[in-house]
């Protein structure tokens, strides 16, 4: 791999972005940034502490006094500037995503673009959203909720920051962002974009740091009115619990164990490659990954053959190579986690059809795992119930359409699902019975104005377009006598 062979200087990040300026960290803890393809230290970041966080919250609170009263047109202008500034750095943001956590080029470019376009989409949604309604002597207005803490996961940094910041700015909120500390190089580029967009001071502040330090301060601080969080169920539950103390509004975008239902009229030659794309996107480190593949029992042998054939199109490799489908896991912790689940699957009696434990041959220097497909999986096995967050697919056989729907819904998660079949009416009927925030029919597709979010343990609230702006608004009614 070319990137590995090059001799590089170690990059250092020692600042946060507070009140419109890059400021030296008050926190002193230094964390190494490790490249997942070869475990080399490529950077060092100084992590913020509670004091940095409180300074950022104070700046956001001061800025809210005026920003909360801006017009739609004022905020639209800022969204356009943010879109322009981030669009100019798409290549840099993508390259950083590939290097910093091994996001594959195939996917990283799309993710960064969706994140950048979130500003344009929020502007569009804002133009179409009536923020005032009146009848008789009553006027109802939607007002910015106040200071928002935006806490994000590492696996698609620009997307999460883009979605949350765009919605908050559209609503008139000021923010303190705490990105995942595993995304510091990507965040640094984003901060340069933010600075170039020349937002009024204090509207957007960013503190890089640990969740249990910076994130926890945002959650408990009484001057933060809302938390919008993307991450794991366990941390989301803690945020909901701890946020209750100061009556925080919360949006939680959490995990998934998404089903892909292949109906018995599907063309397996198309359905199986599509299902594998959904399972292995972002090397399986995606909340929406379709990790449970539900197939008709009577077609199981044909499905297995189709999977073995289709796996050739999912090579492991250098994430920078556009031909690579599966890159390394982001961290040692992620690598260990995926290995532990593969072992668990074998112990519980599932059969390895492809992949398995250990490193793929020739990829021992990084956190690479083998894309793995299990067959003979029962929906009550650990590998079918828990989110693995790696390229591990469970094939589960069903008896009938009703059985498929039952298995799909027999999960604590409900984020995303897919239905694949030739008869579209039938696929729609099945889709309408899936308890998930999004169901796609016949392929992985996106609509930037369609809501994103989860049923059940997959979360609370929605993002994207006007659905994303709503949770940053409060409703006030003024009644005249
Ligand atoms: P995580 O929950 O460990 O961390 C997410 C963020 O929360 C990080 O910024 C982290 O520093 C912070 N955090 C940790 N402890 C905290 C605390 N006590 N208080 C406040 N903040 C705290 O998750 P992760 O490993 O970064 O991401 C993977 C998870 O995110 C998976 O479960 C995945 O499904 C989920 N995810 C969901 C979506 C979605 O849109 N629904 C998208 C991407 C990822």
């Amino acid at each position: 791999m070319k990137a590995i062979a090059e001799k590089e200087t170690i990059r250092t990040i020692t600042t946060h972005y507070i009140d419109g300026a890059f400021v030296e960290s008050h926190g002193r803890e230094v964390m190494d940034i490790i490249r997942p393809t070869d475990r080399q230290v490529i950077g060092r970041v100084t992590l913020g502490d509670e004091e940095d966080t409180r300074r950022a919250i104070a700046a956001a609170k001061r800025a809210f006094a005026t920003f909360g009263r801006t017009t739609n047109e004022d905020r639209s202008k800022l969204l356009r500037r943010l879109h322009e500034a981030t669009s100019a750095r798409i290549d840099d943001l993508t390259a950083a995503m590939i290097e910093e956590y091994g996001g594959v080029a195939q996917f990283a470019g799309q993710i960064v673009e969706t994140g950048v376009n979130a500003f344009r989409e929020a502007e569009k949604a804002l133009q179409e959203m009536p923020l005032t309604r009146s009848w008789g002597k009553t006027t109802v207005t939607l007002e910015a909720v106040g200071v928002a803490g935006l806490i994000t996961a590492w696996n698609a940094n620009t997307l999460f920051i883009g979605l949350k910041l765009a919605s908050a700015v559209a609503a008139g909120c000021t923010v303190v962002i705490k990105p995942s500390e595993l995304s510091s190089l990507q965040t640094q580029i984003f901060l340069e974009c933010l600075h170039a967009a020349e937002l009024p001071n204090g509207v957007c502040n960013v503190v890089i740091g640990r969740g249990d330090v910076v994130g926890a301060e945002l959650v408990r601080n009484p001057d933060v009115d809302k938390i919008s969080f993307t991450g794991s169920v366990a941390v989301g539950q803690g945020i909901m619990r701890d946020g209750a103390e100061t009556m925080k509004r919360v949006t939680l975008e959490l995990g998934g164990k998404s089903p892909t239902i292949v109906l018995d009229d599907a063309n397996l030659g198309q359905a199986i490659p599509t299902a594998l794309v959904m399972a292995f996107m972002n090397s399986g480190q995606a909340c929406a990954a379709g990790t449970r593949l539900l197939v008709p029992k009577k077609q199981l042998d044909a499905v297995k053959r189709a999977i073995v054939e289709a796996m050739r199109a999912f090579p492991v490799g250098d994430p920078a190579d556009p031909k690579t489908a599966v890159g390394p896991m982001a961290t040692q912790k992620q690598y260990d986690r995926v290995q532990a689940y593969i072992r668990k699957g074998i112990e519980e009696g599932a059969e390895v059809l492809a992949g398995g434990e250990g490193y793929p041959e020739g990829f021992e220097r990084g956190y690479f795992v083998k894309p793995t497909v299990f067959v003979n999986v029962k929906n009550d096995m650990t590998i079918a119930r828990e989110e693995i967050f790696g390229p591990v697919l469970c094939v589960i056989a069903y008896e009938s359409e009703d059985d498929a729907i039952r298995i799909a819904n027999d999960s604590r998660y409900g984020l995303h699902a897919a239905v694949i079949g030739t008869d579209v009416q039938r696929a729609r009927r099945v889709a309408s019975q899936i308890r998930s925030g999004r169901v796609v029919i016949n392929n992985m597709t996106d609509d930037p104005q369609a809501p994103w979010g989860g049923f059940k343990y997959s979360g609370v609230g929605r993002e994207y377009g006007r659905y994303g702006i709503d949770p940053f608004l409060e409703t006030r009614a003024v009644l005249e006598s």
Side-chain angles (χ1 to χ4, degrees):
M1 272 173 263
K2 186 168 158 284
I4 294 174
E6 284 168 0
K7 184 97 183 120
E8 298 146 284
T9 50
I10 289 178
R11 282 154 280 178
T12 53
I13 296 169
T14 60
T15 54
H16 309 294
Y17 192 74
I18 300 175
D19 217 5
F22 289 90
V23 294
E24 284 298 317
S25 183
H26 178 270
R28 301 310 322 149
E29 184 184 350
V30 176
M31 193 187 92
D32 286 343
I33 302 169
I34 297 171
R35 184 168 51 205
T37 47
D38 60 356
R39 297 182 166 93
Q40 290 303 304
V41 175
I42 54 169
R44 294 213 168 89
V45 54
T46 305
L47 301 175
D49 62 7
E50 288 86 349
E51 179 59 27
D52 294 303
T53 317
R54 285 193 284 266
R55 287 177 188 167
I57 295 169
K61 190 178 175 189
R62 279 193 303 275
F64 183 69
T66 41
F67 193 66
R69 306 180 69 82
T70 48
T71 63
N72 279 13
E73 199 35 55
D74 296 331
R75 299 198 295 276
S76 292
K77 261 187 227 152
L78 294 192
L79 289 167
R80 285 197 288 273
R81 291 218 297 266
L82 281 164
H83 182 247
E84 219 173 277
T86 48
S87 293
R89 302 291 300 275
I90 283 182
D91 290 347
D92 297 335
L93 288 162
T94 305
M97 179 169 170
I98 293 168
E99 182 178 27
E100 190 168 29
Y101 81 83
V104 287
Q106 276 185 7
F107 187 77
Q110 291 171 35
I111 280 294
V112 166
E113 257 181 66
T114 311
V116 164
N117 289 341
F119 296 110
R120 195 188 60 204
E121 295 296 333
E123 189 210 339
K124 195 168 141 199
L126 185 61
Q127 300 300 340
E128 289 163 10
M129 273 177 87
L131 296 184
T132 305
R133 275 187 67 208
S134 333
W135 61 90
K137 292 186 172 178
T138 298
T139 304
V140 177
T141 53
L142 299 177
E143 303 282 331
V145 76
V147 173
L150 314 180
I151 303 175
T152 60
W154 49 267
N155 61 319
N157 190 58
T158 304
L159 174 62
F160 305 140
I161 294 180
L163 283 172
K164 290 184 195 303
L165 178 60
S167 300
V169 166
C173 290
T174 58
V175 308
V176 178
I177 305 177
K178 195 220 81 72
S180 168
E181 57 277 30
L182 299 174
S183 304
S184 304
L185 294 180
Q186 297 165 72
T187 300
Q188 195 59 21
I189 299 170
F190 192 88
L191 292 188
E192 289 161 17
C193 300
L194 194 61
H195 196 60
E198 297 184 331
L199 266 56
N201 292 349
V203 166
C204 179
N205 309 276
V206 181
V207 180
I208 299 174
R210 291 194 186 280
D212 56 0
V213 178
V214 177
E217 178 62 32
L218 286 171
V219 172
R220 84 179 147 243
N221 195 299
D223 287 335
V224 176
D225 301 282
K226 176 182 174 70
I227 296 287
S228 178
F229 170 78
T230 297
S232 61
V233 170
V235 174
Q237 286 172 320
I239 287 175
M240 209 171 190
R241 206 167 33 236
D242 299 345
E245 197 65 41
T246 46
M247 206 53 80
K248 293 277 189 293
R249 281 83 180 113
V250 290
T251 299
L252 304 175
E253 295 289 345
L254 311 178
K257 192 77 197 174
S258 303
T260 299
I261 302 179
V262 175
L263 295 171
D264 61 9
D265 65 350
N267 171 343
L268 292 183
Q270 289 168 356
I272 296 301
T274 301
L276 295 187
V277 168
M278 289 193 266
F280 298 145
M281 65 173 142
N282 211 19
S283 308
Q285 300 175 124
C287 52
T291 50
R292 290 184 300 145
L293 178 59
L294 278 44
V295 301
K297 198 172 198 168
K298 58 187 181 216
Q299 294 177 359
L300 194 53
D301 287 340
V303 166
K304 285 189 204 172
R305 283 195 299 277
I307 290 175
V308 171
E309 174 64 29
M311 284 298 285
R312 291 173 219 252
F314 292 87
V316 173
D318 177 357
D321 182 342
K323 289 196 287 300
T324 296
V326 179
M329 300 296 91
T331 57
Q332 181 71 48
K333 193 171 152 206
Q334 270 290 109
Y335 175 85
D336 293 341
R337 176 186 169 95
V338 173
Q339 294 300 324
Y341 275 110
I342 295 175
R343 267 195 303 282
K344 186 82 181 162
I346 295 168
E347 280 162 22
E348 289 188 350
E351 181 195 325
V352 175
L353 179 70
E357 282 184 84
Y359 296 100
E361 211 185 318
F363 289 96
E364 296 78 5
R365 290 179 67 187
Y367 304 129
F368 291 91
V369 302
K370 297 177 194 163
T372 296
V373 181
F374 279 109
V375 289
N376 290 347
V377 179
K378 302 278 171 285
N379 200 46
D380 59 1
M381 289 180 179
T382 309
I383 52 170
R385 302 213 76 75
E386 296 182 7
E387 184 184 47
I388 298 175
F389 224 55
V392 181
L393 174 63
C394 296
V395 180
I396 303 170
Y398 66 79
E399 302 279 353
S400 62
E401 190 178 296
D402 283 349
D403 194 33
I405 294 165
R406 183 192 60 75
I407 297 170
N409 288 333
D410 178 17
S411 170
R412 74 171 183 159
Y413 294 109
L415 183 63
H416 200 271
V419 182
I420 304 179
T422 304
D423 177 351
V424 176
Q425 292 297 345
R426 180 181 174 208
R428 283 189 192 137
R429 194 179 65 230
V430 172
S432 71
Q433 296 171 77
I434 305 297
R435 295 189 52 77
S436 287
R438 263 200 195 189
V439 188
V440 295
I441 293 181
N442 281 342
N443 214 335
M444 189 69 195
T445 180
D446 192 22
D447 174 346
Q449 294 291 333
W452 177 274
F455 281 37
K456 303 187 270 184
Y457 280 71
S458 288
V460 175
R462 295 292 180 267
E463 294 196 303
Y464 276 49
R466 69 164 296 169
Y467 297 92
I469 300 173
D470 273 339
F472 286 95
L473 295 166
E474 286 281 18
T475 308
R476 181 177 54 221
V478 175
L479 293 78
E480 295 170 27
S481 62

